[in-house]
Amino acid sequence: MSLLSIRDLVVRFRTHDGTVFAVNGVSFDLDEGETLGLVGESGCGKSVTNLALMRLLPLPAGHIDGGKVIFNGEDLLTLDESDMRDLRGKEIAMIFQDPMTSLNPVLTVQEQMVETIQAHRRVSKSEARARTLELLGMVGIPQPEARLKNFPHQFSGGMRQRVMIAMALALEPKLLIADEPTTALDVTIQAQVLELLSRLAAEHGTAVILITHDLGVVAGMTQRINVMYAGYVVEAATTKDLFARPRHPYTVGLLHSIPRLDAQPGEPLIPIEGAPPDLRFAPLGCPFAPRCAWRVDRCWKEMPSLEPIDPSYEVVTTGPQATHRAACWNPPTSGEVVAARPLRPGFEPAAPPAQVGS
Amino acid sequence: MSDMTPQTVAPAAGVPGRTDAAGSSSARPLVEITDLRMFFPITQGILISRHVGDVRAVDGVSLSIQKGETIGLVGESGCGKSTVGRTILRLYRPTGGRIVFDGQDITTAGGASLRSVRRRMQMIFQDPYASLNPRMTAAGIVSEPLEIHGVGVKSERQQRVRDLLATVGLDPSYGDRFPHEFSGGQRQRIGVARALALHPDLIVADEPISALDVSIQAQIINLLERLQGEFGLTYLFIAHDLSVVRHISDRIAVMYLGRIVETANSRALYERPLHPYAVALLSAVPIPDPAVEGRRRRIILTGDVPSPSDPPPGCHFHTRCWLRERLGNPDRCVAEDPALRPLSSGHQVACHFAEEVDGSAEQVQVTGRSPGAGGVAAAAGPAATAPYAPAGPPPRPRDRG
């Protein structure tokens, strides 16, 4: 059985601008010790999915309107708040993009780490302090003894993120959710933090959900990837399969639109035209259809479900043999993946239904 | 990118009239900065403020920009790359050095003479949310530079604004809308239209795409490239993302703690980086390909960038340098400032031991292109059968058993 199993999760925000359809039926599984990447642009629902599973959605706007989140055999959505509080930090820990807003600015590092440990473990203050020291050493903070009494603002960005990682791993959680952990960091510091994160997760057997918009980061860090768009998982595959044979037009578009350091000079970028949809409108059809060169009539009306790219495949949702799945009515062929456009003679993207009717 | 290819920037062997040390051709550069320094004072005290030190944001930078080329300025936050851009535009009065724009010394220019030069240089900002006035319409924003410089009468300006909006790919009828009605990518297009309004020669683009969504970034990069071809623009492209800078630039200058440590044409920099910092920076950039990532080894620099208010003596990079450690920590790195010196045509490096970098395992790793395998061969385009499936070892990023 998987460590984590999310089924048909639906999250909406009720705002005075109307309902925001943030997550529209997301399902995925995660095994112990696995690293899963959730990739997508801002507003695709990758962070909201994880806030929902931690039951940390901003209230009163955020609502979980359906689905199940089974962690270790328990549905987290039915737990009462005190059980949930017990679980956060101990079983599932989280690291955010900006450590400055997630650390308490008026407490020293020692105070907040000891507090975290003592909230979940019956240990004396000196034991908690010793553990804190050990953790800070483990994440590579130089002279940890001297830094215990420092406040968060006295650390650099990279060091602060190390403190966050130390705190997240303090209680040896089974699952670590890292939400854009290196987006605010410089590239050489990002390399340090990613290296640390993957080494520690491997050593402790921690499962990791890595949320990022950076395909380069997930390529080196993860074993599996879910690509998200407008509140849906549109493609799910092992990291190797996803990059080798992208199947959803959005994934294909992303891979062609980012410049690669190792590309041939002068190679043009092929952008995805248009912009992500406004999530205040109820989803109708595939949300990517307006930007998609492969769309057919059906795409405007009906959202396809996530299906194996070869119908004969049996669906395996986790591990190195996970089935490559995509949600697309008219997936690009391998030649079209290379060309980044449809090559079928006479193929035109289907016009929106309003124009079809008139 | 326009007609400007890296080949036209890198001189063919034996081209006369080219002085390598300055990296400039016989043609007069559009911008030439010499030993530019920009210090920001640190003061203490409330009533009587005492000058207690300086943030040495730019500490002796020389750079020349030819007409029509794109110079990429890369480095990590705090290295002074934005300050260089802003100082060239004379948004600051430099502490020292010289700025020459199209033959005119503007280091201390002011008033009317500065205003007339500023018409010819414009800026595109990082944050398309903060850089547009929320109370002005798109047309008002684009028309403002025309009004300030008294260009044309109202009807001419209106026509020009409509043309500009169309040029950057916006429907001219959107001119009545306010910034909040646009998406991030559209806002950045407004920012680009504003920068184009006065037919500038030079555009300083300071992280113009880093606030945009991944799928939108390529739209703006392609727009900037198209406009360069159409209007013969010269770009100073400031960014931290080396993949983007490499894509758009003809030449690249790598900065570290207020100084340029390496300049080269963009192909040479990526194929043969010669400064230990440039090698480390390139190695840290993740590549969206698990097969390549599985093969690469990163140079993990220890520690953080030192404070620019108290930079290390000698070579600013010596505190984190992997090469210095390898060489047994020679004193020369601490004692002596390395000057930018030419190592090959158009390729300058500020490192006493740059020769040791050339051919080192680290340099080979970073540029590492085992023939027949790997992203470069595969990314060559339609000729390759599967661009994302390069041959090579099984690309499991990490084996967890």
Side-chain angles (χ1 to χ4, degrees), chain A residues 54-130:
Chain A
M54 289 285 266
R55 299 244 314 261
L56 288 172
L57 287 173
L59 293 173
H63 281 268
I64 297 173
D65 278 14
K68 284 193 169 70
V69 176
I70 314 290
F71 178 78
N72 247 348
E74 266 182 310
D75 188 348
L76 298 189
L77 303 186
T78 60
L79 284 187
D80 65 38
E81 186 48 42
S82 77
D83 288 342
M84 197 64 215
R85 196 179 308 136
D86 199 40
L87 189 128
R88 284 185 208 123
K90 197 163 91 188
E91 304 283 336
I92 309 178
M94 223 165 167
I95 305 172
F96 297 92
Q97 174 175 342
D98 181 2
M100 202 56 210
T101 54
S102 22
L103 292 169
N104 188 330
V106 297
L107 294 182
T108 64
V109 163
Q110 173 177 326
E111 282 166 338
Q112 38 199 311
M113 287 192 64
V114 166
E115 184 187 329
T116 308
I117 294 168
Q118 286 194 311
H120 293 280
R121 296 261 163 87
R122 288 189 180 194
V123 291
S124 70
K125 203 168 172 189
S126 65
E127 284 169 313
R129 188 177 171 278

Side-chain angles (χ1 to χ4, degrees), chain B residues 275-329:
Chain B
H275 193 283
Y277 176 65
V279 175
L281 201 56
L282 287 170
S283 92
V285 177
I287 289 178
D289 186 333
V292 177
E293 282 290 295
R295 270 203 311 277
R296 286 171 101 222
R297 255 183 327 113
R298 298 199 192 294
I299 302 166
I300 304 285
L301 291 180
T302 50
D304 288 306
V305 183
S307 163
S309 62
D310 184 20
C315 171
H316 286 177
F317 185 58
H318 81 258
T319 54
R320 300 171 80 200
C321 184
W322 54 269
L323 180 66
R324 178 166 186 259
E325 205 171 308
R326 159 105 35 95
L327 299 175
N329 296 321

Side-chain angles (χ1 to χ4, degrees), chain A residues 28-354:
Chain A
F28 63 84
D29 297 326
L30 186 67
D31 277 347
E32 284 188 24
E34 247 192 324
T35 300
L36 170 74
L38 286 189
V39 182
E41 302 174 77
S42 43
C44 73
K46 54 193 195 299
S47 295
V48 173
T49 300
N50 288 282
L51 288 175
L53 93 84
M54 289 285 266
R55 299 244 314 261
L56 288 172
L57 287 173
L59 293 173
H63 281 268
I64 297 173
D65 278 14
K68 284 193 169 70
V69 176
I70 314 290
F71 178 78
N72 247 348
E74 266 182 310
D75 188 348
L76 298 189
L77 303 186
T78 60
L79 284 187
D80 65 38
E81 186 48 42
S82 77
D83 288 342
M84 197 64 215
R85 196 179 308 136
D86 199 40
L87 189 128
R88 284 185 208 123
K90 197 163 91 188
E91 304 283 336
I92 309 178
M94 223 165 167
I95 305 172
F96 297 92
Q97 174 175 342
D98 181 2
M100 202 56 210
T101 54
S102 22
L103 292 169
N104 188 330
V106 297
L107 294 182
T108 64
V109 163
Q110 173 177 326
E111 282 166 338
Q112 38 199 311
M113 287 192 64
V114 166
E115 184 187 329
T116 308
I117 294 168
Q118 286 194 311
H120 293 280
R121 296 261 163 87
R122 288 189 180 194
V123 291
S124 70
K125 203 168 172 189
S126 65
E127 284 169 313
R129 188 177 171 278
R131 173 80 179 135
T132 300
L133 207 55
E134 182 194 337
L135 287 161
L136 292 182
M138 180 180 84
V139 296
I141 302 229
Q143 303 160 301
E145 195 106 22
R147 306 300 304 255
L148 278 175
K149 294 261 159 62
N150 282 11
F151 290 92
H153 74 264
Q154 292 169 296
F155 289 84
S156 67
M159 285 296 153
R160 254 181 243 144
Q161 202 57 294
R162 284 170 190 266
V163 171
M164 279 301 294
I165 293 172
M167 206 183 281
L169 294 178
L171 301 154
E172 304 193 323
K174 293 198 177 66
L175 171 61
L176 176 67
I177 300 172
D179 191 347
E180 304 268 11
T182 57
T183 307
L185 304 177
D186 276 320
V187 60
T188 60
I189 309 295
Q190 162 170 292
Q192 293 173 3
V193 169
L194 290 179
E195 194 259 348
L196 174 74
L197 202 58
S198 59
R199 182 166 55 77
L200 292 180
E203 276 171 20
H204 294 80
T206 315
V208 178
I209 298 179
L210 179 69
I211 304 173
T212 176
H213 66 277
D214 189 331
L215 285 164
V217 169
V218 284
M221 283 284 293
T222 63
Q223 285 129 17
R224 284 193 300 121
I225 296 176
N226 285 350
V227 180
M228 291 189 68
Y229 190 77
Y232 294 95
V233 174
V234 295
E235 184 161 6
T238 62
T239 303
K240 182 183 150 192
D241 283 348
L242 188 90
F243 284 94
R245 286 178 290 280
R247 184 74 165 174
H248 193 280
Y250 177 61
T251 316
V252 173
L254 278 185
L255 286 169
H256 277 286
S257 63
I258 46 175
R260 277 174 62 149
L261 194 59
D262 59 349
Q264 287 293 337
E267 212 175 308
L269 297 180
I270 306 170
I272 305 177
E273 296 304 334
D278 187 338
L279 299 174
R280 285 172 303 177
F281 297 104
L284 176 69
C286 172
F288 190 61
R291 306 175 75 187
C292 182
W294 283 270
R295 63 180 178 245
V296 292
D297 283 333
R298 200 173 184 187
C299 302
W300 292 107
K301 295 168 204 138
E302 230 180 308
M303 175 66 193
S305 57
L306 202 58
E307 299 293 344
I309 59 167
D310 182 331
S312 67
Y313 290 167
E314 191 188 334
V315 175
V316 179
T317 55
T318 59
Q321 304 303 323
T323 317
H324 190 164
R325 291 175 296 158
C328 185
W329 291 124
N330 183 29
T333 63
S334 52
E336 292 173 337
V337 166
V338 176
R341 61 187 168 83
L343 299 172
R344 293 158 237 188
F347 181 83
E348 284 294 326

Side-chain angles (χ1 to χ4, degrees), chain B residues 28-32 63-67 69-71 88 202 234-236 251:
Chain B
R28 185 168 75 185
L30 181 64
V31 180
E32 180 136 47
L63 186 69
S64 70
I65 307 175
Q66 302 297 327
K67 227 175 165 50
E69 77 172 337
T70 300
I71 296 264
I88 288 176
L202 173 73
T234 305
Y235 288 141
L236 178 63
R251 260 191 323 133

